Amino acid sequence: MQSFFGNKQGRPTAVSTVTVKKKVTVRPAAPPLPGLPPHKSARAGPSAPRPKSESRLRVPSRGSSPRPKSAGSASPARPRKTPAAERRVLPESDDSEEDALDAFDRKRPRLAGDGVTPDAGDVDVGRKVFCPSLVDERGEFGRGWAGFVSCEEAVRGEVRGWAGGQKGSMSKGGRDKYIPYFPQPGFENSDPIPSVDLRYPSGAVEKFILLTPHSASEYNPISELKAALGMILKHYIPPSHAHIFGTLDASDYFESAMPSRLQTPTSLSTPPPDGASPLPQTQQETIGEALRRALAPNRRDGPGFVKAIQRFNVALADLQEDGTLEAWLTSRDYRISRSEWSALINVVHDSAYNRVVAPFVEQLAHHPKHPEAVAAAISEKEDSYGELGNTFMSKVIEQTGLKPDSVFVDLGSGVGNCVLRAAVQAGCASYGFELLPVPSHCARRQLREVQRRWAMWCLDGNLSVECHEGDFRTHPEVRRRLTEADVVLVNNEVFPSSLNMDLTHLFLDLKEGATIVSLKPFVPEGFRMNESNCDSFAAILRSTSHQYFSDWVSWKGDGGRYYVQVVDRTQRVKYEEKMNGRRSRG
């Protein structure tokens, strides 16, 4: 055989001969499978052993090929040396290829939990958040639920008592906006109106109307009832009673009670139940399973739901009477993460908002009494009224480190959402100041309703909460609260420049280390201290910029930036010392 590169000099090619002997082992044929003919049996071995054979391979000689010869050549070539940087020695092992590769790379992959900082939302709250021993109906310790606005009042649009307000102040309501949720007889939108009582962890009882609204923008008692049940089952039931109560997660509301077609029934003689016939209730069925089955969209079993709620109320009352519930909520073993704590507060505060603030939404959105400068500024925005969302405020609490001994001040507090959230989520003293009459009225209403709801849920919110009406530039309480403040929030996105300048004068009273959170910065972009600006307010601030997202605010559909500014007068002092040193040397 000629070389692959040819024989340029025409000389005969030297041929080497290598003899290779192949050894063949004969395996006996496998026995045929029982019940099958011989030609359908399992794979059979060879009928006769293959004869031993010899094969001759012709390998080109050294002179005819630039490649080194293999073993067995008449004149073996010297093996090529591998450079030191490329030479690798495999371990002598019969293990898998992965073990061999591991010899080259000794870096082990990091496990998911090794050295990884957990998400801030998964960190434990780190303080006592429940106070079951301090709540009662009349509020002996300032934590009572008597007089709360009921679900029935919200559905009928006839809020009475302290929250009734003036005639005509409420938006038009009534049962004509609602339709039946359960299809069974007795659950129609007629008298007597279908309802069920829900027992809260404190022992308070509220009647929920079993109707659903025509429009998604209306108050939905069924959704609120589901959310309340889910939170109680998840955060209030001790592990020793989990087998009785079970759980009711948000995803369970949409799960079908029908068995999956992929599941094989244990008995072919018993067909799976259809949507019209209720599933048999067993002793092992938890309360959560009974609720989930009754609320399934393809079932909506009204009578079954009422029975499950009654069973829930009785079981919860037993936990309250024997002290098991209080012992669990105040035990050292109880844990609730920041994200779970925030979600629980959302449910409680949304209940209050839907009852006493939502009826004023139209008046809030089209407020007729803005000052001229503010009215001119907000006319360029997508909406004339906006609120900071729960996620935004939770992020502020996390970033600023608000805690029970802190003081929070909100300038331009609107209906009081952020003020109330800081008081319960961080447990700190909280004060709000709002110029406009309608938001101020809603804030006072919401404050009273939220505090009643805290008592119903045994939440340990700070009772040092105030919502004031008036211009924060001249209000007598503002200066006193600012001197105490650890965190000041100001939603100044629509404030004119003159109002922001007035704020800088007020902030001169802030203590060292106080934090200002704003939607417009008080430190200009690219600010560097020099002789011309060293006496400005920006010279005593350390500012960082952060992003918020589209669902964090209500007045626009996209995100934006907000600014966290910390009062730090030391940098101004250092600059002055530096300048004095230069003058002395000059």
Side-chain angles (χ1 to χ4, degrees):
M1 180 183 295
Q2 289 187 346
S3 169
F4 180 80
F5 298 96
N7 190 357
K8 295 183 179 180
Q9 299 179 0
R11 292 180 299 179
T13 304
V15 179
S16 301
T17 303
V18 179
T19 302
V20 179
K21 295 184 178 182
K22 184 183 295 184
K23 183 178 180 180
V24 179
T25 303
V26 181
R27 296 181 179 179
L33 295 177
L36 293 178
H39 67 278
K40 291 186 178 181
S41 62
R43 185 181 60 182
S47 57
R50 296 178 62 183
K52 296 182 180 180
S53 61
E54 296 182 358
S55 60
R56 296 177 179 269
L57 300 179
R58 294 185 176 182
V59 182
S61 64
R62 180 180 178 184
S64 62
S65 174
R67 299 180 181 178
K69 293 183 180 180
S70 60
S73 176
S75 54
R78 180 179 299 176
R80 185 176 60 180
K81 293 184 178 180
T82 303
E86 299 178 0
R87 185 176 299 173
R88 296 181 178 181
V89 180
L90 292 175
E92 296 181 0
S93 173
D94 294 333
D95 295 340
S96 63
E97 183 181 358
E98 294 180 359
D99 296 332
L101 293 176
D102 188 61
F104 300 143
D105 188 5
R106 292 296 181 183
K107 293 182 179 180
R108 306 296 300 176
R110 292 180 63 182
L111 299 178
D114 290 347
V116 178
T117 303
D119 185 82
D122 297 330
V123 177
D124 187 76
V125 174
R127 70 177 183 90
K128 181 174 68 72
V129 296
F130 298 112
C131 55
S133 62
L134 299 179
V135 300
D136 57 66
E137 184 175 6
R138 306 308 304 177
E140 181 179 353
F141 300 98
R143 301 177 184 272
W145 62 79
F148 68 86
V149 180
S150 68
C151 168
E152 183 176 7
E153 293 177 81
V155 170
R156 293 181 182 273
E158 301 172 354
V159 178
R160 300 178 293 272
W162 68 269
Q166 298 178 356
K167 184 177 181 181
S169 63
M170 304 293 291
S171 63
K172 184 179 179 181
R175 284 163 46 185
D176 56 336
K177 297 182 179 180
Y178 292 84
I179 58 176
Y181 181 80
F182 295 107
Q184 291 82 14
F187 292 88
E188 301 88 356
N189 186 2
S190 60
D191 292 324
I193 190 169
S195 63
V196 67
D197 289 339
L198 174 67
R199 188 178 186 90
Y200 285 95
S202 62
V205 177
E206 181 176 8
K207 177 183 291 186
F208 277 86
I209 305 303
L210 300 180
L211 298 175
T212 188
H214 285 285
S215 172
S217 61
E218 296 293 335
Y219 167 65
N220 192 331
I222 297 293
S223 296
E224 184 176 290
L225 179 57
K226 292 175 182 177
L229 286 167
M231 285 296 167
I232 296 174
L233 292 175
K234 184 175 183 179
H235 297 300
Y236 287 83
I237 306 304
S240 58
H241 291 69
H243 65 286
I244 299 175
F245 287 87
T247 60
L248 183 66
D249 295 331
S251 59
D252 293 338
Y253 307 154
F254 306 99
E255 290 182 358
S256 173
M258 296 291 291
S260 171
R261 293 185 179 183
L262 299 178
Q263 296 176 353
T264 303
T266 56
S267 175
L268 296 179
S269 61
T270 304
D274 55 19
S277 61
L279 291 174
Q281 184 173 354
T282 63
Q283 294 181 353
Q284 290 76 23
E285 184 182 45
T286 65
I287 296 174
E289 291 171 344
L291 292 170
R292 181 167 56 250
R293 177 165 51 84
L295 291 170
N298 66 333
R299 187 175 300 277
R300 291 198 177 184
D301 181 7
F305 180 72
V306 172
K307 291 180 180 178
I309 289 290
Q310 292 172 348
R311 182 182 167 198
F312 168 85
N313 291 336
V314 172
L316 187 61
D318 291 340
L319 288 182
Q320 294 164 343
E321 292 174 1
D322 62 14
T324 303
L325 182 63
E326 179 178 347
W328 166 241
L329 295 179
T330 57
S331 69
R332 295 183 178 180
D333 296 331
Y334 185 88
R335 295 290 183 273
I336 184 170
S337 68
R338 292 180 181 177
S339 59
E340 292 172 335
W341 177 231
S342 178
L344 175 59
I345 295 171
N346 289 347
V347 172
V348 177
H349 283 202
D350 286 349
S351 298
Y353 186 98
N354 291 334
R355 286 161 172 74
V356 299
V357 178
F360 292 88
V361 168
E362 292 184 4
Q363 297 183 46
L364 290 169
H366 306 286
H367 201 286
K369 296 182 180 180
H370 288 107
E372 293 183 2
V374 178
I378 65 176
S379 63
E380 301 175 359
K381 300 295 177 181
E382 298 180 22
D383 196 357
S384 60
Y385 174 76
E387 298 173 357
L388 299 177
N390 296 332
T391 306
F392 190 105
M393 189 58 201
S394 294
K395 188 66 175 179
V396 169
I397 293 173
E398 174 192 330
Q399 284 182 314
T400 59
L402 276 173
K403 50 187 182 298
D405 59 352
S406 303
V407 175
F408 173 77
V409 176
D410 187 356
L411 300 180
S413 53
V415 299
N417 291 339
C418 296
V419 175
L420 299 174
R421 191 169 193 89
V424 64
Q425 186 167 338
C428 63
S430 191
Y431 306 94
F433 299 88
E434 172 58 40
L435 171 66
L436 304 178
V438 173
S440 297
H441 175 65
C442 292
R444 292 189 294 269
R445 288 163 52 94
Q446 188 173 203
L447 170 59
R448 297 182 64 180
E449 180 66 17
V450 158
Q451 289 181 332
R452 286 169 169 80
R453 297 269 160 188
W454 290 351
M456 297 166 71
W457 289 83
C458 302
L459 303 187
D460 189 16
N462 197 312
L463 298 182
S464 297
V465 187
E466 298 175 5
C467 294
H468 298 277
E469 178 180 350
D471 190 338
F472 55 68
R473 294 174 295 182
T474 58
H475 198 285
E477 281 290 311
V478 171
R479 190 172 298 276
R480 183 165 72 94
R481 296 305 179 189
L482 286 180
T483 58
E484 305 170 348
D486 295 285
V487 177
V488 179
L489 173 65
V490 53
N491 180 4
N492 61 339
E493 183 164 358
V494 300
F495 285 4
S497 58
S498 59
L499 185 54
N500 282 322
M501 182 59 67
D502 292 338
L503 283 171
T504 62
H505 298 155
L506 289 174
F507 291 158
L508 292 175
D509 293 329
L510 292 174
K511 62 186 178 182
E512 190 75 4
T515 302
I516 304 168
V517 180
S518 62
L519 273 71
K520 275 187 178 179
F522 290 99
V523 179
E525 185 177 358
F527 176 83
R528 297 190 65 178
M529 197 181 308
N530 53 47
E531 292 186 2
S532 62
N533 61 22
C534 63
D535 292 327
S536 66
F537 179 64
I540 63 171
L541 294 180
R542 288 185 286 106
S543 179
T544 56
S545 174
H546 306 271
Q547 182 180 7
Y548 68 83
F549 301 94
S550 58
D551 57 343
W552 288 24
V553 299
S554 66
W555 61 84
K556 61 181 181 179
D558 55 352
R561 310 294 299 180
Y562 69 99
Y563 304 87
V564 178
Q565 298 129 128
V566 180
V567 176
D568 183 8
R569 295 179 174 87
T570 59
Q571 55 186 2
R572 173 65 177 82
V573 173
K574 291 179 181 179
Y575 177 80
E576 186 174 356
E577 292 175 351
K578 179 180 178 181
M579 296 303 298
N580 291 336
R582 289 182 178 179
R583 295 189 187 101
S584 62
R585 289 193 301 269

